[in-house]
Amino acid sequence: MSRKYFGTDGIRGRVGEGAITPEFVLKLGWAAGKVFAQSGRSKIIIGKDTRISGYMFESALEAGLVAAGVDVTMLGPMPTPAIAYLTRTFHAQAGIVISASHNAYHDNGIKFFSSEGTKLPDEVELEIERQIDQPMSTVESANLGKVDRMTDAAGRYIEFCKSTVPAGFSLRGLKIVVDCAHGATYYVAPAVFDELGAEVIVMGADPNGLNINENVGSTSPRALQARVLEEGADLGIAFDGDGDRLAFVDHTGEFVDGDELLFVIAQDQLRTTGSCSGVVGTLMSNLGFELALKDLEIPFARAKVGDRYVIELMKSRGWQLGGENSGHIICSDVTTTGDGVVAALKVLFALMNVGVPLHELKAGMSKFPQVMINVALADKSRLDNNADIEQAISEAEQKLDGRGRVLLRPSGTEPVVRVMVEGEDGELVGLLAAEIAAVVEKAVA
């Protein structure tokens, strides 16, 4: 069955529009409460990022869940992976995250974790959607849910992150600039690296509700690149608004994306343990990444874009490492979901193991030039069986002559279609991407 409200990563949109209204979120909380209460008295954990609308939706969810007879534990601003971890360790029936990830403050969203700290099964999401369309009711007063607040949530998550590297591991002697995107990692990420001994310079850690992801963070790395050079730092680490993705900047100011970070982690696993079972990427993973893994004889497979699909393929293959070039990295040997801080520690562990700069360590992988252009798209069906688009793609693939790729992908979180072209010749790649994007724009106008 197709979903009416849930996308590939929960429910997301502009505040005050569609499903992102207090009325709908109240009903969503109630519907989720009804589903989880079917197995008896339930407890659900709620966390959020730092955008101003989080207060409103936090209250709406709380009211809906309590009306359905579900107990609620509030975490306040916490990274998305922290909510997954705390849901699992506190044996809650579910965790709810109020966040629009890397989007600007005027967007928000709701996503769920299961009791195991993983994405909800499809059948549970569909059951919640069925309940949303039912009339809302309130349980008897004696059965209303109760609400408490976890005051030590940040400390618990900090200790968990540190536990994912070996005891005695130290970052002493390393100078790191940490960009928290004015988001959910603003407190915990600097604390983790500081407590492990690094000299930490913090930026993007003054959230005011309106500045999340504004010219900072993993999707806007220029400020971090400049700061790394200004401070003479060994490297920089940038997170997105909810802390489930990251990017690095090396000491020369070069941006290091998710593909390169996955390569560094996989290479270190092979070096230290003698094996790496395999790595899952996505349709957007760089061809150079795939070829670099092939040179190391590490198996590689592509999933659809979205950490949900990466994790599904990792489980089916029995592999423990996967992610996206956007910086979602899943290390399933230590956690259940994409975790920016944990992934950063994996990269730092590899650096300290070898004792060479990140710039040198990532040099084993050569990225193919890749250009992506977003074209506004209100109706995805306009892409189907369009002869002009198909012809433009076919002509581009002929020009790439088997040494590149063309991909059209409607976004699961934004009203755009992403036009991606990749190949050895950067000038040709840029030209072909612009040509296809122009055809797509004309076709969907």
Side-chain angles (χ1 to χ4, degrees):
M1 290 180 62
S2 61
R3 296 177 178 86
K4 183 177 180 181
Y5 303 112
F6 284 93
T8 57
D9 197 25
I11 301 169
R12 188 183 299 183
R14 195 175 183 96
V15 174
E17 299 177 4
I20 311 301
T21 63
E23 297 91 344
F24 182 88
V25 173
L26 171 70
K27 191 72 176 294
L28 175 65
W30 174 82
K34 290 284 287 184
V35 171
F36 289 107
Q38 291 173 1
S39 58
R41 192 74 181 187
S42 294
K43 175 173 67 177
I44 291 181
I45 287 176
I46 299 177
K48 62 181 181 179
D49 64 22
T50 57
R51 63 195 74 223
I52 193 168
S53 59
Y55 294 97
M56 176 171 66
F57 294 128
E58 183 181 52
S59 298
L61 280 171
E62 176 188 336
L65 289 163
V66 167
V70 172
D71 295 333
V72 178
T73 297
M74 311 296 282
L75 303 182
M78 287 291 290
T80 288
I83 297 158
Y85 165 71
L86 292 167
T87 298
R88 179 165 47 91
T89 58
F90 275 83
H91 304 287
Q93 277 61 55
I96 302 179
V97 182
I98 306 167
S99 174
S101 189
H102 57 281
N103 292 23
Y105 78 93
H106 51 66
D107 289 344
N108 216 330
I110 310 291
K111 53 187 174 184
F112 289 80
F113 286 111
S114 72
S115 59
E116 288 81 32
T118 59
K119 298 292 176 70
L120 286 185
D122 291 346
E123 58 269 21
V124 178
E125 287 188 349
L126 289 169
E127 179 58 27
I128 292 172
E129 290 199 346
R130 282 191 285 267
Q131 288 291 339
I132 289 172
D133 293 331
Q134 302 303 311
M136 185 171 171
S137 60
T138 303
V139 299
E140 292 291 331
S141 293
N143 296 323
L144 289 169
K146 298 179 180 178
V147 182
D148 63 9
R149 184 167 293 275
M150 191 183 298
T151 57
D152 61 346
R156 288 175 180 271
Y157 178 62
I158 289 168
E159 289 305 312
F160 161 70
C161 290
K162 293 193 298 181
S163 76
T164 63
V165 290
F169 173 70
S170 173
L171 295 174
R172 191 164 288 108
L174 208 60
K175 187 176 183 180
I176 305 173
V177 182
V178 179
D179 179 354
C180 301
H182 299 306
T185 61
Y186 76 96
Y187 172 74
V188 298
V192 168
F193 304 124
D194 176 72
E195 291 180 20
L196 286 172
E199 180 185 347
V200 180
I201 300 159
V202 184
M203 59 181 288
D206 298 299
N208 62 16
L210 305 177
N211 60 358
I212 188 170
N213 301 311
E214 185 179 18
N215 300 318
V216 286
S218 61
T219 54
S220 300
R222 289 185 179 178
L224 177 61
Q225 291 171 301
R227 190 70 181 273
V228 166
L229 295 175
E230 176 188 332
E231 298 284 351
D234 295 297
L235 53 89
I237 306 172
F239 300 98
D240 69 338
D242 72 332
D244 66 353
R245 71 166 71 177
L246 79 162
F248 271 61
V249 170
D250 68 23
H251 75 282
T252 71
E254 282 189 5
F255 181 76
V256 186
D257 69 11
D259 286 346
E260 293 168 300
L261 298 177
L262 277 165
F263 173 75
V264 167
I265 297 170
Q267 186 178 228
D268 186 65
Q269 282 187 7
L270 185 63
R271 182 187 304 111
T272 55
T273 68
S275 68
C276 176
S277 57
V279 180
V280 173
T282 74
L283 297 173
M284 301 299 291
S285 297
N286 195 279
L287 186 57
F289 174 41
E290 180 177 355
L291 296 176
L293 291 178
K294 185 177 181 181
D295 288 343
L296 295 175
E297 298 183 349
I298 296 175
F300 176 76
R302 293 182 187 268
K304 291 192 294 184
V305 174
D307 58 345
R308 170 192 292 267
Y309 304 113
V310 172
I311 292 169
E312 285 176 359
L313 188 52
M314 287 171 63
K315 286 181 177 178
S316 70
R317 296 289 181 101
W319 298 348
Q320 295 183 327
L321 183 61
E324 305 179 82
N325 60 356
S326 62
H328 280 116
I329 294 178
I330 302 103
C331 304
S332 65
D333 57 328
V334 291
T335 190
T336 60
T337 190
D339 189 317
V341 177
V342 168
L345 288 174
K346 288 279 191 180
V347 173
L348 294 172
F349 181 74
L351 293 180
M352 302 304 277
N353 263 347
V354 181
V356 300
L358 177 61
H359 185 78
E360 183 177 335
L361 198 56
K362 70 182 178 68
M365 171 188 154
S366 298
K367 289 197 297 184
F368 276 40
Q370 188 181 83
V371 173
M372 186 167 66
I373 300 174
N374 292 333
V375 179
L377 176 69
D379 182 1
K380 295 178 183 179
S381 67
R382 288 176 174 262
L383 296 174
D384 298 337
N385 302 316
N386 186 290
D388 291 338
I389 295 175
E390 291 176 359
Q391 182 178 348
I393 293 173
S394 177
E395 290 175 355
E397 288 175 337
Q398 290 177 19
K399 292 176 182 176
L400 290 169
D401 195 25
R403 296 294 294 173
R405 298 186 302 137
V406 177
L407 180 68
L408 254 67
R409 184 181 68 84
S411 170
T413 58
E414 300 173 77
V416 299
V417 58
R418 307 196 195 285
V419 177
M420 190 276 287
V421 180
E422 179 180 63
E424 291 178 307
D425 184 336
E427 186 175 347
L428 176 62
V429 163
L431 178 64
L432 294 177
E435 289 177 353
I436 296 171
V439 173
V440 172
E441 189 169 14
K442 182 179 179 181
V444 302

